Coordinates of all heavy atoms in Angstrom, one line a residue:
Chain B
L193 N -86.8 39.2 -34.9 CA -86.0 37.9 -34.7 C -85.5 37.9 -33.3 O -84.7 38.8 -32.9 CB -84.9 37.9 -35.7 CG -84.2 36.5 -35.8 CD1 -85.1 35.5 -36.6 CD2 -82.8 36.7 -36.5
H194 N -85.8 36.8 -32.6 CA -85.3 36.6 -31.2 C -84.4 35.5 -31.2 O -84.3 34.7 -32.2 CB -86.5 36.3 -30.3 CG -87.3 37.6 -29.9 ND1 -87.5 37.9 -28.5 CD2 -87.8 38.6 -30.6 CE1 -88.1 39.0 -28.5 NE2 -88.4 39.5 -29.7
A195 N -83.6 35.4 -30.1 CA -82.6 34.3 -30.0 C -82.7 33.8 -28.6 O -82.8 34.5 -27.6 CB -81.2 34.9 -30.2
V196 N -82.6 32.4 -28.5 CA -82.5 31.8 -27.2 C -81.1 31.0 -27.2 O -80.9 30.1 -28.0 CB -83.6 30.8 -26.9 CG1 -83.4 30.0 -25.7 CG2 -85.0 31.6 -26.9
I197 N -80.3 31.4 -26.3 CA -79.0 30.7 -26.2 C -79.0 29.6 -25.1 O -79.4 29.9 -24.0 CB -77.8 31.7 -25.9 CG1 -77.8 32.8 -26.9 CG2 -76.5 31.0 -25.8 CD1 -76.9 34.0 -26.5
C198 N -78.7 28.4 -25.5 CA -78.7 27.3 -24.6 C -77.2 27.1 -24.2 O -76.4 26.6 -25.0 CB -79.2 26.0 -25.2 SG -80.9 26.2 -25.9
V199 N -76.9 27.4 -23.0 CA -75.5 27.3 -22.5 C -75.3 25.8 -22.1 O -76.0 25.4 -21.2 CB -75.2 28.3 -21.4 CG1 -73.8 28.1 -20.9 CG2 -75.5 29.7 -21.8
V200 N -74.4 25.1 -22.8 CA -74.2 23.7 -22.6 C -72.9 23.4 -21.9 O -71.9 24.0 -22.3 CB -74.3 23.0 -24.0 CG1 -73.8 21.5 -23.9 CG2 -75.7 23.1 -24.6
S201 N -72.9 22.6 -20.9 CA -71.7 22.2 -20.2 C -70.9 21.4 -21.1 O -71.4 20.6 -21.9 CB -72.0 21.4 -19.0 OG -72.9 22.0 -18.1
D202 N -69.6 21.5 -21.0 CA -68.7 20.6 -21.7 C -67.5 20.4 -20.8 O -66.8 21.3 -20.4 CB -68.3 21.1 -23.1 CG -67.9 20.0 -24.0 OD1 -68.3 18.9 -23.8 OD2 -67.3 20.3 -25.0
A203 N -67.2 19.1 -20.6 CA -66.1 18.7 -19.7 C -64.8 19.2 -20.3 O -63.9 19.7 -19.6 CB -66.1 17.2 -19.4
K204 N -64.7 19.0 -21.6 CA -63.4 19.1 -22.3 C -63.4 20.5 -23.0 O -64.3 20.8 -23.8 CB -63.3 18.0 -23.2 CG -61.9 17.8 -23.8 CD -61.7 16.5 -24.5 CE -60.6 16.5 -25.5 NZ -60.9 17.4 -26.6
K205 N -62.3 21.2 -22.9 CA -62.1 22.4 -23.7 C -61.8 22.0 -25.1 O -61.0 21.2 -25.4 CB -60.9 23.1 -23.1 CG -60.5 24.4 -23.8 CD -61.3 25.6 -23.3 CE -61.1 26.9 -24.1 NZ -61.9 26.9 -25.3
G206 N -62.6 22.6 -26.0 CA -62.4 22.3 -27.4 C -61.2 23.0 -28.0 O -60.5 23.7 -27.4
T207 N -60.9 22.6 -29.3 CA -59.8 23.2 -30.0 C -60.1 24.7 -30.2 O -61.3 25.1 -30.5 CB -59.8 22.6 -31.4 OG1 -59.8 21.1 -31.3 CG2 -58.6 23.0 -32.2
S208 N -59.1 25.6 -30.0 CA -59.3 27.0 -30.2 C -59.7 27.2 -31.7 O -59.2 26.5 -32.6 CB -58.1 27.8 -29.9 OG -57.2 27.8 -31.0
S209 N -60.6 28.2 -31.9 CA -61.0 28.4 -33.3 C -59.8 28.9 -34.2 O -59.8 28.5 -35.4 CB -62.2 29.4 -33.4 OG -61.9 30.6 -32.8
T210 N -58.9 29.7 -33.6 CA -57.8 30.1 -34.4 C -57.0 29.0 -34.9 O -56.6 28.9 -36.1 CB -56.9 31.1 -33.5 OG1 -57.7 32.1 -33.0 CG2 -55.7 31.6 -34.3
A211 N -56.7 28.0 -34.0 CA -55.9 26.9 -34.5 C -56.7 25.9 -35.4 O -56.3 25.5 -36.4 CB -55.4 26.1 -33.3
G212 N -58.0 25.7 -34.9 CA -58.8 24.8 -35.6 C -59.1 25.1 -37.1 O -59.0 24.3 -38.0
M213 N -59.4 26.4 -37.3 CA -59.7 26.7 -38.7 C -58.5 26.6 -39.6 O -58.7 26.2 -40.8 CB -60.4 28.1 -38.8 CG -59.5 29.3 -38.4 SD -60.4 30.9 -38.8 CE -61.7 30.9 -37.5
Q214 N -57.3 26.8 -39.1 CA -56.2 26.6 -40.0 C -55.9 25.1 -40.3 O -55.4 24.7 -41.3 CB -55.0 27.4 -39.6 CG -55.1 28.9 -39.7 CD -55.8 29.3 -41.0 OE1 -57.0 29.6 -41.1 NE2 -55.0 29.3 -42.1
Q215 N -56.2 24.3 -39.3 CA -56.1 22.8 -39.5 C -57.0 22.4 -40.6 O -56.7 21.6 -41.4 CB -56.4 22.0 -38.2 CG -55.4 22.1 -37.1 CD -55.9 21.5 -35.8 OE1 -56.8 20.6 -35.8 NE2 -55.3 21.9 -34.7
T216 N -58.2 23.0 -40.6 CA -59.2 22.7 -41.6 C -58.7 23.1 -43.0 O -58.8 22.3 -44.0 CB -60.6 23.3 -41.3 OG1 -61.1 22.9 -40.0 CG2 -61.6 23.0 -42.4
V217 N -58.2 24.3 -43.1 CA -57.7 24.8 -44.3 C -56.6 23.9 -44.9 O -56.6 23.6 -46.1 CB -57.1 26.3 -44.2 CG1 -56.3 26.7 -45.4 CG2 -58.3 27.2 -43.9
Q218 N -55.8 23.4 -44.0 CA -54.6 22.6 -44.4 C -55.0 21.1 -44.7 O -54.3 20.5 -45.5 CB -53.5 22.6 -43.3 CG -52.8 24.0 -43.3 CD -52.2 24.3 -42.0 OE1 -52.0 23.4 -41.1 NE2 -52.0 25.6 -41.7
T219 N -56.0 20.6 -44.1 CA -56.3 19.1 -44.2 C -57.6 18.7 -44.7 O -57.8 17.5 -45.0 CB -56.1 18.4 -42.8 OG1 -57.1 18.9 -41.9 CG2 -54.7 18.8 -42.2
S220 N -58.6 19.6 -44.7 CA -60.0 19.1 -45.1 C -60.2 19.1 -46.6 O -60.2 20.2 -47.2 CB -61.1 19.9 -44.5 OG -62.3 19.7 -45.1
P221 N -60.4 17.9 -47.2 CA -60.7 17.9 -48.7 C -62.0 18.5 -49.0 O -62.3 18.9 -50.1 CB -60.7 16.4 -49.0 CG -60.0 15.7 -47.9 CD -60.2 16.6 -46.7
L222 N -62.9 18.6 -48.0 CA -64.3 19.1 -48.3 C -64.4 20.6 -48.2 O -65.3 21.2 -48.6 CB -65.3 18.4 -47.3 CG -65.5 16.9 -47.4 CD1 -66.6 16.4 -46.4 CD2 -65.8 16.5 -48.8
L223 N -63.4 21.2 -47.5 CA -63.5 22.7 -47.4 C -63.6 23.4 -48.7 O -64.4 24.3 -48.8 CB -62.3 23.2 -46.6 CG -62.4 24.8 -46.4 CD1 -63.5 25.2 -45.5 CD2 -61.1 25.3 -45.8
Q224 N -62.9 23.0 -49.7 CA -63.0 23.7 -51.0 C -64.4 23.6 -51.5 O -64.9 24.6 -52.2 CB -62.0 23.0 -52.0 CG -60.5 23.3 -51.6 CD -60.2 24.8 -51.4 OE1 -60.6 25.7 -52.2 NE2 -59.5 25.1 -50.3
A225 N -65.1 22.5 -51.3 CA -66.5 22.4 -51.8 C -67.3 23.4 -51.0 O -68.2 24.0 -51.6 CB -67.0 21.0 -51.6
R226 N -67.1 23.5 -49.7 CA -67.9 24.4 -48.9 C -67.7 25.8 -49.5 O -68.6 26.6 -49.5 CB -67.5 24.3 -47.5 CG -67.9 25.5 -46.6 CD -67.9 25.3 -45.2 NE -68.2 26.5 -44.4 CZ -69.4 27.2 -44.4 NH1 -70.4 26.6 -45.0 NH2 -69.5 28.3 -43.7
L227 N -66.4 26.2 -49.8 CA -66.2 27.6 -50.3 C -66.9 27.9 -51.5 O -67.3 29.0 -51.8 CB -64.7 27.8 -50.5 CG -63.8 27.6 -49.2 CD1 -62.4 27.9 -49.5 CD2 -64.4 28.4 -48.0
K228 N -67.2 26.8 -52.3 CA -68.0 27.1 -53.5 C -69.5 27.2 -53.2 O -70.3 27.7 -54.0 CB -67.8 25.9 -54.5 CG -66.4 25.8 -55.1 CD -66.3 25.0 -56.3 CE -64.9 24.9 -56.9 NZ -64.0 24.0 -56.1
V229 N -69.9 26.6 -52.1 CA -71.4 26.7 -51.7 C -71.7 28.0 -51.0 O -72.9 28.5 -51.2 CB -71.6 25.5 -50.6 CG1 -73.0 25.7 -50.0 CG2 -71.5 24.2 -51.3
V230 N -70.8 28.6 -50.3 CA -71.1 29.8 -49.5 C -71.6 31.0 -50.3 O -72.6 31.7 -49.9 CB -69.9 30.2 -48.6 CG1 -70.1 31.6 -48.0 CG2 -69.7 29.1 -47.6
P231 N -71.0 31.4 -51.5 CA -71.5 32.6 -52.1 C -73.0 32.6 -52.4 O -73.7 33.6 -52.1 CB -70.7 32.7 -53.4 CG -69.5 31.9 -53.1 CD -69.9 30.8 -52.2

Side-chain angles (χ1 to χ4, degrees):
Chain B
L193 194 74
H194 280 234
V196 173
I197 304 171
C198 307
V199 180
V200 170
S201 304
D202 205 18
K204 195 170 154 292
K205 179 84 187 85
T207 311
S208 85
S209 59
T210 301
M213 65 174 71
Q214 289 320 99
Q215 289 171 25
T216 300
V217 169
Q218 287 153 22
T219 66
S220 166
L222 298 183
L223 179 65
Q224 290 308 313
R226 164 161 173 72
L227 299 185
K228 294 197 179 77
V229 168
V230 170

